[in-house]
Every structure is written in C-alpha cells, then in structure tokens.
Amino acid sequence: MDSIAKSLNPNKHLKEEFVSNLTGSSMIEIVALSTIVPVLMLLPHSLGLPTSAGAKKSWAAYLVMIVSYLCIVIVPILLFLTILAGWTYEFAILLLVPLLFSCKRSREERPNSLRQSISSYRVAMMVVTCLCILAVDFNIFPRRYAKTETYGSSLMDLGVGSFVLANALVSREARNLATPNWKTAITSTSPLIILGIGRLISTTVVNYQVHVGEYGVHWNFFFTLAAVAILTSVIRIPSKYCGVLGSLILFGYQVWLSLGLRSYLLSDKRGPGIISQNKEGIFSVVGYWGMYLVGVQLGSYLFFGCQTTPSRSSRWTRNRLYILSIFFWILTVVLDKHVERVSRRTCNLPYVTAVIAQNLQVLALLMLSDFIPGYKSSALVEAINQNLLATFLLANLLTGLVNMLMDTLNASSVVSLVVLIGYAFVLCITIGLTHFRGIRLKFW
C-alpha cells in the first residue's frame, strides 16, 4: 500500500519543502493586492462591458457572459498573482484611478446595492482562494504570497481567517436571528466534520503533500470551521455583546501565548497524544472563535443595525467601512511591531486584526459600485455566490487531480500558465452550468 501511495505522488517531499520555511511579503503589498482584486471586479461594469446574463434566456448567452467575465476579470487576477506580481503597486494605482474617474453617483435608489457588495466580497475571497491553492504548486507563483512558516504577512495566510470572518459578518447571530442549540449545531456542522475526515483520509491514501506545521498531523481547515460553529452555538451570546467577548478572548489568548503557549505551539516536538499531534489546529481555534465573535459584532453594526433609507444605509455603511479598515490596518502595524509579529499558525491577535483590516478594505472598495449607474452583479458572481462551498470543494478536487497528473514543480512558465487558466475555466464554467440549471449545493 505504501508503494502505491508513493507512486501516486513521488514528489511529495519536494512539494512540502516548496511551501515550507516561507516568510511572506509586506503589509503594503497585501493592501495593493486587496485593491487590485475588487477594482478588477468593478471595472468592467464601470466601462459598460457585458457581464450579466439577465434572465438567463439561453445557455449559449449565459455561457458568453461567463466566459466574458473569465477573460476580463478572473484571468487578469490570475496574471497579477503570477507573472505580473512584480508590478503590483503600479497596477494597483493604474486600475484604481480610471475606476474613480469613471464612477459617478447614481440618482436612482439602489436598495440591493449593499447585498450585491457583500455577495461580490464573498466571491472575491473565494476566487482568490481557488486560484491560489493550485497556483502555489507552480514556480510562477511568488513564494512571498504562499503561507508563512511561523511569522509574517502573506496573501494565502489570510485564507482561512477570511472564511471565518465572511461567515461571521452575515451569520444568524449578526442578523439577530435565533441561534440553534448545540444539538442542532452539531447536526448542521456534521457535513464540515465529514469533509474534514474525508480530506484526512483522501490525502493519506494518495500520499498528498500536507505541511504538518500548518494545522498539525490530522487537523485541517474544515475542522476549524466546524469547531468555531459549535462553540458559537454552545456558548450563545447576544450580538451586541459578541464584540466585547471576542475582544476579551483575543486579548486573553494573546497573553496566554506570551506566557508560554507560543513556545509550545511553535516547537517541532510532538507527543503521542491527539492534542499534541494537532496542537496548532486545536489551540488556534481560540483565536478564530474570537475573530468570529468580533465579526458578528461588526456585521450587526455595519449591515443589520442601520434602520434608515436604503441609500442612506449604504452610504453610512460605506463610510464606516473605510474608517474601520484604516483603523484595523493601523492597529495591525502597531501590534506587529510592539506585541508580536503576525502569525497565522497561532492565529494571534495581530493576525486577527490583519484579516479584519484586509476584508473590510475589499468590501469598502466593492461598495464603490454605488457610484456605477445601473450596476448589476455578473452572472459568474451570482453563480459562485450561490455555491460557495461547492466551488471550494471542486477547486480542491481539481487541484488534487492536477498534482497527481503532472509535475508542477518542473513545469515551464508557459505550461504553468496554460494549466492554471484551463483550471480557472473548468472551475467557473462548471459552477456556472450548475447555477444555470438551478442547482444549489447547500451543505448545512
């Protein structure tokens, strides 16, 4: 059995080394990348390019809209994550300036503008995540964008935190809806637990590369999401108190890290127990839970607490998003310099503030859609938004398939780019077809 597994992925050790001992990039580069992505999503609309399928009259027309969006938004995002990575700052300015000049305040009220912006934000997060999880296995993907080993800021470090925060901002708790009891919570999160177990089994069977320092030996992303959901349901807190509790948890966790937990989590030594084997994944749940609670408070405050006219509500939210994003970026810089470096591995306080700052920045920029007359969400954005988890699962399956079928480490730049563009097309067209057929894959 071991020989079969090794034959399926003979370069496993090399691939693990390829994503190990990395230190990330700079926060200013993260800010630039977080400007490029939302601006690229808005620019086609501001220039009047067709991206919406309207009533979806035919599959041919719908496919044209999907492919158009792929060519003018998704592929450029992929290029900025790979061969154009050296021009990040220049293009962030070059793309932002024409958008600001072309946008003008619409006279018509757009009651759904906030909802569309939130949907676009969730899709932006998913698109970047799906592109990165395969691109990172190729040499054309800058190592500074890949996950850091211990400390540092990188684009991929923000992935799991963004998933947690995105869920929190529009959660039942943020909307002041009744929170299910712990039995219902366990039942509703069982698909995540099953997916986590499935990922563990599948990666073991095919000998897939897994960086143990990320979550531990057995833990993974799905277990973290499930744990946060269960904790939130077991310990039910009114949304107006979530921010206070979340902040106390994050502060207490940071103190705990400083008093010795950090040394334990960052040590290469692992005991035989299940906790020691998965110490990074298990203990970082504390940080992610604190982040979730703060996200609930932010979502309630920004999106569901302003009882005014739609246009005023949108303007009120947009202005506060700008202020809060700047505030959290400044706080991150201060914490990173004077408390502890940003660390996704432990999910420390500076990491949490960095995730919040970056996500609020993307959302604030996407709300510039209020100044684009007749703005409508694109067909592909609607499709992905309706099937977020399905998109992520398909992306993982395709990523695994590509890694099994080819040697990504030694692929040329041309081959790498062709494969990545083909992957993006297969992923997006499949999700688009699913949406066109009226299929919504909801797992909980």
Side-chain angles (χ1 to χ4, degrees):
M1 179 64 84
D2 288 342
S3 61
I4 295 176
K6 289 180 180 178
S7 67
L8 290 173
N9 193 8
N11 293 328
K12 175 185 176 182
H13 181 64
L14 292 176
K15 290 180 178 179
E16 289 175 346
E17 287 187 340
F18 192 52
V19 294
S20 300
N21 302 313
L22 303 176
T23 57
S25 58
S26 64
M27 289 187 197
I28 190 66
E29 187 169 24
I30 301 299
V31 171
L33 285 169
S34 300
T35 300
I36 288 176
V37 173
V39 169
L40 280 173
M41 294 182 69
L42 291 178
L43 206 53
H45 302 280
S46 67
L47 298 177
L49 299 178
T51 58
S52 177
K56 299 189 294 187
K57 295 181 179 180
S58 70
W59 167 242
Y62 188 74
L63 182 60
V64 169
M65 296 301 102
I66 296 291
V67 174
S68 297
Y69 197 80
L70 270 163
C71 293
I72 61 181
V73 177
I74 306 299
V75 171
I77 290 175
L78 177 60
L79 295 178
F80 283 116
L81 295 176
T82 52
I83 60 175
L84 296 180
W87 298 85
T88 301
Y89 303 111
E90 292 85 350
F91 275 103
I93 297 172
L94 288 174
L95 290 171
L96 185 59
V97 169
L99 177 65
L100 294 176
F101 272 106
S102 63
C103 288
K104 56 184 178 180
R105 188 179 301 276
S106 175
R107 294 182 180 179
E108 60 177 316
E109 290 189 1
R110 299 180 54 244
N112 295 322
S113 62
L114 179 57
R115 186 184 185 92
Q116 289 177 346
S117 296
I118 294 174
S119 297
S120 297
Y121 149 68
R122 284 153 57 90
V123 171
M125 174 198 67
M126 182 59 68
V127 165
V128 172
T129 299
C130 291
L131 293 177
C132 286
I133 60 175
L134 178 58
V136 70
D137 295 320
F138 292 90
N139 277 295
I140 61 171
F141 187 81
R143 293 300 90 194
R144 66 183 185 276
Y145 291 171
K147 292 178 181 178
T148 58
E149 183 73 15
T150 303
Y151 291 111
S153 304
S154 81
L155 181 65
M156 288 193 72
D157 275 340
L158 300 170
V160 62
S162 296
F163 269 87
V164 171
L165 186 64
N167 288 338
L169 291 173
V170 294
S171 63
R172 294 179 61 87
E173 295 83 11
R175 288 176 286 162
N176 293 307
L177 300 178
T179 305
N181 58 42
W182 67 271
K183 291 182 180 180
T184 305
I186 292 177
T187 301
S188 63
T189 55
S190 58
L192 288 173
I193 298 173
I194 293 171
L195 288 171
I197 295 173
R199 175 176 171 77
L200 174 61
I201 294 174
S202 61
T203 53
T204 302
V205 170
V206 302
N207 197 38
Y208 198 75
Q209 64 269 15
V210 176
H211 186 27
V212 175
E214 185 175 355
Y215 292 108
V217 178
H218 312 102
W219 199 268
N220 59 53
F221 164 80
F222 295 109
F223 291 144
T224 295
L225 290 184
V228 169
I230 292 172
L231 275 172
T232 305
S233 298
V234 171
I235 306 175
R236 288 183 276 183
I237 305 294
S239 61
K240 61 181 179 180
Y241 301 124
C242 282
V244 175
L245 177 60
S247 299
L248 290 174
I249 290 172
L250 291 170
F251 178 77
Y253 179 57
Q254 185 61 51
V255 172
W256 191 11
L257 286 169
S258 302
L259 293 178
L261 181 61
R262 179 194 307 125
S263 300
Y264 169 69
L265 295 181
L266 301 183
S267 171
D268 292 332
K269 297 179 181 179
R270 297 183 189 274
I274 191 70
I275 294 179
S276 181
Q277 290 282 299
N278 301 281
K279 54 186 179 179
E280 297 94 341
I282 292 174
F283 283 96
S284 65
V285 168
V286 179
Y288 287 115
W289 185 41
M291 179 196 298
Y292 184 90
L293 293 175
V294 172
V296 168
Q297 178 81 70
L298 288 171
S300 177
Y301 169 69
L302 291 169
F303 309 136
F304 307 107
C306 186
Q307 305 297 325
T308 59
T309 62
S311 59
R312 183 178 178 185
S313 174
S314 182
R315 184 168 60 251
W316 184 93
T317 300
R318 185 174 58 251
N319 291 339
R320 278 152 184 78
L321 277 170
Y322 296 145
I323 295 170
L324 285 170
S325 176
I326 294 171
F327 167 76
F328 277 105
W329 272 127
I330 294 173
L331 182 59
T332 300
V333 171
V334 172
L335 291 173
D336 182 76
K337 184 175 181 179
H338 298 288
V339 177
E340 184 183 14
R341 295 284 311 283
V342 173
S343 175
R344 170 204 46 80
R345 189 171 175 182
T346 62
C347 191
N348 61 2
L349 182 57
Y351 171 76
V352 171
T353 58
V355 169
I356 295 174
Q358 187 266 346
N359 279 263
L360 294 185
Q361 176 194 337
V362 171
L363 190 47
L365 288 171
L366 286 169
M367 288 198 71
L368 287 174
S369 62
D370 288 344
F371 299 99
I372 302 176
Y375 174 85
K376 292 182 180 180
S377 292
S378 71
L380 186 55
V381 167
E382 292 176 359
I384 296 176
N385 186 55
Q386 291 296 315
N387 288 287
L388 283 171
L389 186 55
T391 302
F392 183 66
L393 291 177
L394 179 58
N396 274 268
L397 290 174
L398 292 174
T399 296
L401 182 62
V402 170
N403 272 274
M404 294 295 105
L405 294 178
M406 69 176 294
D407 180 8
T408 57
L409 295 181
N410 295 309
S412 66
S413 296
V414 173
V415 171
S416 300
L417 197 57
V418 169
V419 171
L420 288 169
I421 292 176
Y423 156 81
F425 269 71
V426 171
L427 175 65
C428 293
I429 290 175
T430 302
I431 295 300
L433 177 60
T434 301
H435 182 248
F436 182 80
R437 295 299 183 187
I439 302 172
R440 185 177 182 181
L441 302 177
K442 189 172 179 61
F443 292 83
W444 76 91

